[in-house]
Amino acid sequence: MLTTLLSALALAAQSTPVPPQATQLPPATLPPIPAPVTPVVEADTRPYVALATDLGTITLRIENKRAPITATNFLRYVDAKRMDGFKFYRSTKSWGPANQLVQAGNRGDARKNFPPIAHEPTTKTGLTNCKGALSMARLNPGDATSDFFLLLSDIKGFNADAPGGDGAGFAVFGEIVGGADVAEAIFNAPISPTAGEGVMVGQMLEPQVTIKTARRVPAPADAPKGCVVKGS
């Protein structure tokens, strides 16, 4: 009798399902899986200008947000087509490898010049006179009109905070992003041994290199990041 009762209990235990909650741990609470983050890519809205010269084309990126006064002045010449026919007329080979630049501007009808512009020092714009920089030429702060430099070396002495400088420096407002070899060719072009005055003697190109056209162009797909923006 006892044997029969034990057998019946064992059979009942085998046939009765065990509730899942008695054999399983509660599910772990996991943090939600975040959705993939798509990086925000800001469109490059800075203007680009192509200078078509006798020796080839130089493409410039204009820092119109950081140096709005100087950039607007340059683009005004471009949009009015007044830069067509301007000349690259100076190369500072005589200054040695640490101070290399070429200078361009209106070497003809002075009536093509717009009024002088206010000076924008690099201490305010956050830009710097590095190799490739596009800087405004001037005699005194506030008298710049059409002349500009393309730097072929870093010239930190052109910055407003340069030790021993005049505290104003030269206003950077863009940089070369294409055709650096053309700028180098202009720099290495023949020089007149006698033309020019003062420090420019021995720096005047002969013949001068003509800017045949200056036009806005779309941003190049492979435009480099550049160096003129400090800390970039």
Side-chain angles (χ1 to χ4, degrees):
M1 182 67 177
L2 180 60
T3 302
T4 303
L5 180 59
L6 292 175
S7 299
L9 290 173
L11 182 61
Q14 292 177 5
S15 61
T16 303
V18 179
Q21 61 269 24
T23 60
Q24 297 177 6
L25 294 174
T29 303
L30 299 175
I33 299 174
V37 177
T38 303
V40 177
V41 178
E42 293 185 5
D44 184 4
T45 60
R46 291 171 293 184
Y48 287 76
V49 172
L51 306 179
T53 78
D54 294 333
L55 299 182
T57 299
I58 301 169
T59 304
L60 307 171
R61 178 168 54 222
I62 310 301
E63 294 291 343
N64 61 322
K65 298 292 193 300
R66 293 180 171 87
I69 295 172
T70 319
T72 297
N73 177 70
F74 185 84
L75 293 170
R76 188 181 182 190
Y77 283 97
V78 170
D79 294 340
K81 300 183 180 179
R82 290 196 185 189
M83 200 170 290
D84 296 5
F86 281 12
K87 308 287 186 181
F88 280 97
Y89 62 89
R90 183 186 181 199
S91 166
T92 60
K93 283 186 289 187
S94 63
W95 281 355
N99 296 284
Q100 300 182 13
L101 62 82
V102 291
Q103 184 171 346
N106 179 12
R107 301 296 287 176
D109 187 353
R111 292 175 297 179
K112 284 190 172 183
N113 283 354
F114 290 115
I117 59 173
H119 181 63
E120 291 181 302
T122 53
T123 47
K124 290 187 177 180
T125 63
L127 303 174
T128 186
N129 281 280
C130 58
K131 182 179 180 179
L134 167 64
S135 298
M136 204 67 193
R138 52 92 176 167
L139 289 177
N140 301 295
D143 68 6
T145 54
S146 70
D147 277 34
F148 59 89
F149 302 136
L150 294 179
L151 273 55
L152 281 301
S153 69
D154 292 347
I155 308 182
K156 299 305 182 186
F158 276 13
N159 290 333
D161 56 357
D166 62 2
F170 292 88
V172 180
F173 63 100
E175 65 189 307
I176 299 171
V177 296
D181 57 331
V182 177
E184 291 280 356
I186 296 172
F187 179 78
N188 290 310
I191 296 292
S192 167
T194 58
E197 297 180 2
V199 296
M200 289 193 180
V201 174
Q203 297 184 354
M204 306 300 285
L205 295 174
E206 191 176 87
Q208 298 175 0
V209 177
T210 301
I211 299 174
K212 295 185 287 189
T213 61
R215 299 288 184 273
R216 296 195 194 217
V217 293
D222 57 349
K225 185 177 181 180
C227 67
V228 297
V229 181
K230 289 181 181 179
S232 65

